Amino acid sequence: MIDFNVPLFEVARNYDKCIACRVCERQCANLVHVFSKEAGKMVSDDSKCVDCQRCVCLCPTHALKIIPNENKFRENANWQQRYLTEIYKQAETGGVLLSSMGNPEPFPVYFDKILLNASQVTNPSIDPLREPMETKVFLGSKPQNVLRDEQGKIVTKTPVHLKLDLPIMFSAMSYGSISYNAHASLARAAEKTGTYYNTGEGGLHEDFYKYGKNTIVQVASGRFGVHKDYLNSGAAIEIKMGQGAKPGIGGHLPGAKIVGDVSKTRMIPEGSDAVSPAPHHDIYSIEDLRQLVYSIKEATDYKKPVIVKIAAVHNVAAIASGIARSGADIIAIDGFRGGTGAAPTRIRDNVGIPIELALAAVDSRLREEKIRDNVSLVCAGSIRCSADVVKAIALGADAVYIGSAALVAMGCHLCRTCNLGNCNWGIATQKPELVKRLNPDIASERLVNLLTGWNHEIQEMMGGMGINSIEALRGNRLMLRGVGLNEKELAVLGIKHAGE
Ligand code: SF4
Ligand code: SF4
């Protein structure tokens, strides 16, 4: 049978440099490289390459390059090569196309069209090395007013909250979609930096209960691994209503990945597909959501904040307004560039809206309705650097979740094939020989370094604006200016154009 597909990448091996050490052969779980006895040299099967760059990084003589295949179908502005290759694939398999990580399509990245302010002359900047700078954040609802007794002692009860030493948390990634060692790395880094990591929908491995005070435990529609001890083991509980990478649909972890501890932790039999339905079958209204929020609060003695995570979709502001009245303490909004272990390609690339617009719309709506302090807002969906964090907070977030950036810090090269389970970097895989490639001591240290570096940069940017606390930056859109945005975009973002 003719294979209509052409390899996406070409392995370029410099034979003057290659010493045939076979490191690339041992390192590639996709079996791209092999030593050919007949030819007496290394050869490659380009069709198997996913461009994870593992071989490039580990080749001791820097003999390898992975380059995009320059072979092009006849140029056609409408029928781009991508559509043809996808049709070939579906014509062969009859299946739904699957992908991983975030939406790679060239939609506008609004963070890149927003610039930050800096103090000059009349409003002095603050030097974060010499002056206090507060990056602590408390997430949860805030009291409307503070009452004191006759002795002046505060009697208002503080609602339950999460305390973060810096405004960044690790977003939900389930054990099963990522490896044991990746989870261990996130848990340790969260503990060291005074923040939180999130179990995702896969339950909590018994080894990680000890990190409970830095853990957010998730309850998704599949309810995998959810029981009373699980709910009580974390610092907060997140109800996942939606995910930016695949709004409107459920999750699917193939049976092949439900092995050993993954099956035990999820409380489902080995080899069975873990399919989370698209809706929670007990939630069809804000009142239903409120019931789940209060069931969880009841099960945890009202000691833990409840987060509701939603995908950024067209009417996100109205949805968030309802959630803010449901008893939830925190709303996490996940934009359409957010990562995932597996999503139908069509959904990932065509559903949802950019997080910047969603966040600004939600913050404005909650302020207009005077319920902004009912909840904290957490922004997620492709936060790539500390400037994105600062811009998100100025647009209205209290804190951000990072997922893909955390994986990249551990070694991920965004090859976008997590769904295949062959991650050569030991992150999105359950194969023991691959999992052990990720050393949690090293990976957690890299995560700590990333957060430490970003936190320094956040302080520098805030200091430059003459702002000395995250609280003062939150929703401070005067610190932002748009470049190249139209009137409508500026209006939704609630910011002025540069020069104004
Ligand atoms: S790792 Fe580098 S030097 Fe070793 S066989 Fe592969 S290409 Fe050659
Ligand atoms: S986690 Fe692994 S498989 Fe997934 S994108 Fe990163 S490198 Fe590729």
Side-chain angles (χ1 to χ4, degrees):
M1 201 163 92
I2 299 174
D3 184 359
F4 288 82
N5 299 300
V6 288
L8 290 174
F9 307 103
E10 224 176 288
V11 179
R13 191 184 315 269
N14 182 336
Y15 283 103
D16 290 339
K17 289 184 178 177
C18 178
I19 53 173
C21 67
R22 301 176 77 167
V23 164
C24 49
E25 187 180 11
R26 289 191 293 277
Q27 289 295 326
C28 184
N30 298 315
L31 309 176
V32 169
H33 309 273
V34 68
F35 181 75
S36 159
K37 281 192 185 137
E38 301 77 60
K41 62 179 185 178
M42 299 296 300
V43 294
S44 341
D45 181 347
D46 293 353
S47 67
K48 293 177 176 163
C49 180
V50 298
D51 195 18
C52 78
Q53 300 274 325
R54 176 89 181 175
C55 57
V56 175
C57 293
L58 271 77
C59 171
T61 60
H62 306 294
L64 288 169
K65 255 196 275 180
I66 308 297
I67 47 182
N69 189 343
E70 283 177 6
N71 180 63
K72 291 271 177 280
F73 297 164
R74 186 160 187 182
E75 213 164 284
N76 188 321
N78 180 39
W79 284 97
Q80 295 131 32
Q81 180 150 339
R82 168 197 172 164
Y83 292 109
L84 273 68
T85 52
E86 288 176 346
I87 288 173
Y88 293 144
K89 250 185 231 158
Q90 289 190 294
E92 271 164 30
T93 65
V96 169
L97 295 169
L98 279 183
S99 315
S100 304
M101 304 310 285
N103 185 333
E105 296 303 307
F107 289 103
V109 179
Y110 288 97
F111 284 134
D112 293 343
K113 293 168 184 268
I114 295 175
L115 294 168
L116 296 168
N117 193 24
S119 305
Q120 302 293 305
V121 188
T122 55
N123 50 343
S125 50
I126 298 167
D127 181 350
L129 293 176
R130 294 174 181 80
E131 295 170 78
M133 184 67 73
E134 188 55 88
T135 59
K136 271 198 185 59
V137 176
F138 294 90
L139 300 183
S141 67
K142 295 182 180 57
Q144 296 298 319
N145 48 31
V146 177
L147 300 174
R148 294 173 186 271
D149 65 13
E150 283 164 7
Q151 281 75 44
K153 203 173 143 216
I154 295 175
V155 291
T156 301
K157 215 169 153 247
T158 316
V160 287
H161 58 261
L162 290 179
K163 180 180 152 226
L164 285 64
D165 286 342
L166 71 182
I168 306 167
M169 302 186 286
F170 298 126
S171 56
M173 288 177 268
S174 71
Y175 174 45
S177 73
I178 59 169
S179 65
Y180 178 96
N181 284 356
H183 251 231
S185 309
L186 291 164
R188 284 192 211 173
E191 186 181 53
K192 278 193 197 153
T193 50
T195 187
Y196 299 86
Y197 84 108
N198 188 315
T199 61
E201 63 172 310
L204 182 61
H205 190 288
E206 57 190 10
D207 292 356
F208 301 141
Y209 274 71
K210 62 183 177 210
Y211 298 107
K213 67 180 180 42
N214 296 95
T215 306
I216 295 169
V217 295
Q218 197 181 66
V219 174
S221 59
R223 306 284 204 267
F224 301 122
V226 175
H227 49 80
K228 197 167 178 223
D229 289 345
Y230 169 76
L231 296 177
N232 279 290
S233 66
I237 298 102
E238 179 173 273
I239 300 170
K240 176 189 163 190
M241 296 303 305
Q243 183 180 346
K246 41 185 172 180
I249 65 162
H252 179 196
L253 194 65
K257 286 189 175 180
I258 310 294
V259 289
D261 280 356
V262 174
S263 113
K264 202 169 139 202
T265 306
R266 291 195 178 224
M267 304 191 312
I268 53 172
E270 286 209 13
S272 59
D273 285 12
V275 181
S276 0
H280 286 247
H281 285 307
D282 49 357
I283 300 180
Y284 290 93
S285 65
I286 291 294
E287 290 74 19
D288 292 343
L289 173 65
R290 186 177 172 83
Q291 288 216 358
L292 181 58
V293 168
Y294 278 93
S295 300
I296 288 172
K297 285 182 183 261
E298 191 73 33
T300 54
D301 289 333
Y302 293 83
K303 286 185 182 150
K304 322 246 176 198
V306 174
I307 306 167
V308 174
K309 178 181 173 183
I310 50 170
V313 289
H314 299 180
N315 50 348
V316 66
I319 296 163
S321 166
I323 297 171
R325 297 162 204 276
S326 73
D329 304 277
I330 300 161
I331 304 176
I333 313 166
D334 196 15
F336 78 150
R337 288 190 302 269
T340 179
T345 310
R346 286 293 158 259
I347 302 278
R348 186 197 64 179
D349 296 354
N350 294 281
V351 182
I353 63 170
I355 187 59
E356 304 90 325
L357 301 176
L359 173 64
V362 169
D363 181 64
S364 300
R365 174 82 176 242
L366 299 188
R367 283 174 195 271
E368 276 160 32
E369 296 182 356
K370 304 204 181 331
I371 52 171
R372 178 62 183 84
D373 284 343
N374 281 17
V375 286
S376 290
L377 295 180
V378 177
C379 160
S382 193
I383 298 287
R384 306 155 302 168
C385 65
S386 57
D388 288 355
V389 179
V390 172
K391 291 171 190 176
I393 293 172
L395 283 173
D398 292 83
V400 304
Y401 267 141
I402 61 167
S404 303
L407 299 188
V408 170
M410 288 195 265
C412 163
H413 278 59
L414 282 186
C415 69
R416 306 203 300 262
T417 58
C418 315
N419 53 308
L420 303 179
N422 263 347
C423 176
N424 275 316
W425 294 96
I427 298 169
T429 180
Q430 300 308 319
K431 293 185 176 166
E433 68 280 13
L434 300 179
V435 173
K436 72 179 181 200
R437 290 180 181 179
L438 186 74
N439 180 331
D441 291 336
I442 296 171
S444 62
E445 200 50 48
R446 292 179 64 84
L447 288 164
V448 170
N449 287 342
L450 178 77
L451 293 194
T452 307
W454 281 22
N455 204 32
H456 284 312
E457 291 173 349
I458 289 168
Q459 292 180 34
E460 276 178 353
M461 283 180 267
M462 289 203 310
M465 292 185 262
I467 286 175
N468 65 359
S469 73
I470 296 289
E471 185 64 28
L473 176 66
R474 183 177 67 127
N476 192 341
R477 299 189 200 177
L478 287 174
M479 294 297 122
L480 305 175
R481 290 290 187 272
V483 179
L485 298 174
N486 65 37
E487 288 298 328
K488 194 71 198 171
E489 290 167 321
L490 291 167
V492 175
L493 290 166
I495 62 175
K496 292 182 177 172
H497 200 276
E500 285 188 278

